[in-house]
Amino acid sequence: MKAVIPAAGFGTRFLPATKAQPKEMLPVFDKPTIQYVIEEAVASGIDDILIVTGKNKRSIEDHFDKSFELEYTLRESGKKDVLKQIQEITDLADICYVRQKEQKGLGDAIYCAKKHIGEEPFAVMLGDTITKGKIPCTKQLINVNQKYNSSAIAVEEVPNEKVERYGIIKGRPVEDCVYKIDELVEKPSLKEAPSNLAIMGRYVLTPDIFDCIEETEPGKAGEIQLTDALSKLNVIYGSIFDGKTFDIGNRLEWLMTSIEFALDDEKSHYQILDFIKTKI
Ligand code: G1P
């Protein structure tokens, strides 16, 4: 299976940090966000990845490219561990790039992948969401996609105050944690929302989604919304992810995610705890 990572947005919610660097390159603890996403793809059995980029996104390509000068310098100075880490980034997966020429929305960004994808189901992984789970989120969706032979998206219950930030679904449970979806609404007001089940940034889609995107008119914010295109699919399932999702598209959650990942790191754990204690 192939994966598409849309990473073409301006990152306006994160300005000024994203004025000259892509939000996908903002580090969470010690790695750029997009590296976590690619590691999830690889852990899900995917090694052919298309990143949809836009202006100011060159550093994403540089990050996954081979850096001869850096590798030479690290080798000469005997920094073998760092050298190994750097080389592993380059070898993670086959990564291709396509540019979204105009920012016409997430649906349009995914449409840029049409030629690369062909006729097989494929994963969509948003570049500003990180997941943590025993079975990777995308792998869980692949399982649902294969079981029902249909598109599957990750959903998660969110509190009322967050409903407006997400695509929201309404569905009927067909088994534990899996819903057959009847309705999808992009960023509804709390009053309009059909439930509290939010779309969390991971999708496994059947290729008929491209026809649906073609038929989709601009929606919320005047953009071609992936959620509106998903509503046009004949069948689609929502699966509650067994794990934890981190939406780092907002500065506070990004910071909290960094702290959580630093606490997961054996070497940093106690130093971070001590620091927090002094602040409290
Ligand atoms: C996008 C999708 C939305 C989804 C969200 C998850 O919105 O349009 O349906 O719930 O990602 O993060 P964005 O956050 O790009 O505005």
Side-chain angles (χ1 to χ4, degrees), residues 13 106 126 129 166-167 186-187 199-201 203 225 227 247:
R13 275 182 287 172
L106 182 59
L126 300 196
T129 302
Y166 294 102
E186 179 65 6
K187 303 197 177 84
I199 303 171
M200 291 318 300
Y203 315 70
Q225 296 293 347
T227 305
D247 177 2

Side-chain angles (χ1 to χ4, degrees), residues 104-156:
K104 292 199 281 188
L106 182 59
D108 180 70
I110 300 306
Y111 194 76
C112 297
K114 186 177 179 211
K115 273 193 193 153
H116 185 83
I117 294 301
E119 293 302 319
E120 296 292 319
F122 65 102
V124 171
M125 309 173 76
L126 300 196
D128 57 9
T129 302
I130 297 178
T131 70
K132 206 160 74 179
K134 264 199 195 137
I135 303 175
C137 184
T138 299
K139 178 68 187 151
Q140 292 183 23
L141 290 179
I142 293 174
N143 294 342
V144 177
N145 158 262
Q146 286 173 346
K147 181 166 178 188
Y148 292 95
N149 207 10
S150 302
S151 293
I153 63 177
V155 294
E156 189 174 87

Side-chain angles (χ1 to χ4, degrees), residues 152-186:
I153 63 177
V155 294
E156 189 174 87
E157 226 169 276
V158 291
N160 284 351
E161 64 275 16
K162 284 192 175 175
V163 158
E164 275 185 1
R165 267 171 47 185
Y166 294 102
I168 301 290
I169 67 136
K170 184 179 150 202
R172 284 167 287 146
V174 288
E175 63 172 284
D176 201 19
C177 296
V178 181
Y179 295 80
K180 187 157 188 239
I181 299 178
D182 297 317
E183 197 184 338
L184 300 103
V185 196
E186 179 65 6

